[in-house]
Amino acid sequence: MDIEKVLKKYVPMTETAFYILLSLSVPRHGYGIVKHVEDITNSRIILGSGTVYGTLTKMQKDGIITVFADEERKTVYEVTETGKTLITAEIKRLKELHQNALIYEGEFL
């Protein structure tokens, strides 16, 4: 899938998809993703295996991630160049959102 189609399909990203992709800053298997997301969100987000593997399957189909290795019944995933472009675009969007929230939050207090 070309990058423009990927961006149109995924941006804005769901929080779940964002954290799954963010977790793949290094190659990880499904359970490693679940634990990493739990750790970096201070247990605010605890992903179910169905959610993780469903999202991973969709992302793999769309060329955002790829299988890095199969290790003893554990599939390890990594981000493709398309996935890196996607996460970079989403981080840029979130930074803009955050900056604007900081500018205008006082008007609502």
Side-chain angles (χ1 to χ4, degrees):
M1 183 178 287
D2 81 36
I3 190 60
E4 291 306 317
K5 286 182 181 176
V6 167
L7 291 172
K8 188 171 183 171
K9 184 174 183 177
Y10 282 88
V11 176
M13 293 182 80
T14 65
E15 191 173 23
T16 298
F18 177 78
Y19 276 114
I20 288 172
L21 194 55
L22 193 68
S23 292
L24 292 174
S25 58
V26 297
R28 295 185 201 280
H29 53 76
Y31 183 71
I33 293 168
V34 169
K35 294 309 292 173
H36 187 254
V37 171
E38 187 176 335
D39 290 346
I40 65 176
T41 64
N42 295 313
S43 298
R44 183 177 64 82
I45 298 175
I46 300 174
L47 299 171
S49 60
T51 299
V52 171
Y53 289 108
T55 302
L56 290 171
T57 298
K58 180 180 173 193
M59 287 181 170
Q60 188 176 1
K61 179 180 165 238
D62 292 337
I64 295 166
I65 63 169
T66 188
V67 172
F68 174 71
D70 285 318
E71 300 175 355
E72 299 178 22
R73 297 180 42 203
K74 291 184 181 179
T75 303
V76 178
Y77 301 91
E78 71 176 343
V79 179
T80 63
E81 288 304 313
T82 299
K84 290 176 184 178
T85 301
L86 171 60
I87 195 73
T88 300
E90 181 64 355
I91 289 170
K92 181 179 176 184
R93 187 189 74 80
L94 291 171
K95 283 181 176 180
E96 178 187 306
L97 192 77
H98 180 253
Q99 288 169 346
N100 286 326
L102 292 176
I103 290 167
Y104 291 97
E105 75 177 326
E107 295 180 22
F108 295 96
L109 300 177

